[in-house]
Amino acid sequence: MVEGGPGEEFISAISGHPFGPIQFTGERYSLSQVKLVAPMLPSKVVAIGRNYADHAREMGGDVPDEPLVFLKPSTSVIGSGEAIAYPTGLTRRVDFEGELAVVIGRLCREVPAERAHEVVFGYTCANDVTARDLQKKDVQFTRAKGFDTFCPLGPWIQTELDPGDLGITTTVNGEIKQSSRTSKLMYDIPTLIAHVSAVMTLIPGDVILTGTPEGVGPLDIGDEVSVGIEGIGTLTNRVVSRD
């Protein structure tokens, strides 16, 4: 558990599985004393495309008639502070996409929208890194979205949060590239959980990426990209060459 104000955060250690009963050990560490890893390793990352109207328009399309679903593999997940590996031999354009991520807390399927809150463990920041040229070339998204390191998550999971109207900002080297609010989601979180769980069983630790607002753009080797969400924190990663 993370407590304290900005620059003064400390971590209280726990025993037990995060998705089950836990106890605090009494050990506390300054955030500067620890290395943050991805706060979960999901069996699957279920992502939603074109869920902000402005982003749909900038991509040259309309908001879909129902949520547009695709998957990212668990091997794409990294934590805050870890490097995004740019596969220069395979793509010439890698984009950032800052998003709010929903972390599932219990085994579930066919969840009614009105009960969706019962299966949510918490929320975190996400970057749906995308090889944009491969996305256009392949039509479907698997290769473009699935590279190792293409799903930064973190810095931690916020378990007490109303996600209905949160500010979301993406910066590259300190310059604001995306700035929006989750209230602009075309399909809200209960709708997404109901839609996804009608197709596949969700298990504790699975993640649903809710979509990115307008302003997506390219990353270069050496860039530092940050996704900040009100009430959660900031996910920061640097881009390095994989080759």
Side-chain angles (χ1 to χ4, degrees):
M1 186 174 76
V2 179
E3 300 178 87
E8 300 179 352
E9 299 98 336
F10 63 88
I11 290 176
S12 296
I14 63 171
S15 63
H17 195 282
F19 298 102
I22 64 171
Q23 290 184 328
F24 290 100
T25 66
E27 297 175 301
R28 289 154 59 99
Y29 303 93
S30 168
L31 193 58
S32 62
Q33 294 178 287
V34 300
K35 177 183 177 181
L36 296 177
V37 297
M40 83 298 292
L41 182 59
S43 76
K44 52 188 170 293
V45 178
V46 185
I48 307 298
R50 302 207 306 265
N51 200 20
Y52 288 80
D54 289 341
H55 173 61
R57 284 191 288 269
E58 78 175 346
M59 298 304 292
D62 297 322
V63 175
D65 293 333
E66 58 183 358
L68 174 62
V69 178
F70 59 93
L71 296 175
K72 294 172 77 82
S74 61
T75 48
S76 66
V77 173
I78 58 173
S80 189
E82 297 186 76
I84 297 169
Y86 195 131
T88 54
L90 295 172
T91 177
R92 295 188 177 183
R93 175 160 173 167
V94 170
D95 281 13
F96 56 84
E97 294 189 9
E99 307 196 13
L100 172 68
V102 183
V103 183
I104 299 299
R106 55 181 283 193
L107 185 73
C108 61
R109 62 188 292 265
E110 297 180 350
V111 181
E114 61 271 17
R115 297 188 60 187
H117 65 280
E118 298 177 18
V119 306
V120 174
F121 181 76
Y123 304 90
T124 193
C125 306
N127 191 345
D128 178 19
V129 182
T130 303
R132 192 69 70 198
D133 52 347
L134 299 184
Q135 183 184 22
K136 293 178 180 178
K137 178 180 179 181
D138 292 352
V139 182
Q140 54 80 36
F141 298 167
T142 303
R143 182 165 63 141
K145 303 279 191 175
F147 284 97
D148 290 354
T149 76
F150 270 28
C151 190
L153 296 171
W156 41 68
I157 303 171
Q158 176 57 259
T159 57
E160 298 181 2
L161 186 71
D162 180 352
D165 186 28
L166 303 175
I168 177 169
T169 303
T170 305
T171 65
V172 178
N173 301 325
E175 181 181 351
I176 295 176
K177 299 293 186 178
Q178 293 180 288
S179 181
S180 191
R181 303 196 68 83
T182 57
S183 55
K184 295 184 178 182
L185 286 169
M186 301 306 297
Y187 297 106
D188 63 13
I189 290 168
T191 300
L192 297 180
I193 291 174
H195 185 77
V196 172
S197 68
V199 178
M200 64 191 77
T201 297
L202 299 171
I203 67 174
D206 280 353
V207 171
I208 297 177
L209 305 187
T210 58
T212 194
E214 68 173 327
V216 300
L219 292 168
D220 294 317
I221 294 169
D223 283 347
E224 182 178 85
V225 56
S226 296
V227 179
I229 300 179
E230 183 181 1
I232 300 177
T234 303
L235 166 71
T236 298
N237 303 90
R238 187 169 293 278
V239 183
V240 302
S241 176
R242 194 185 79 169
D243 302 313

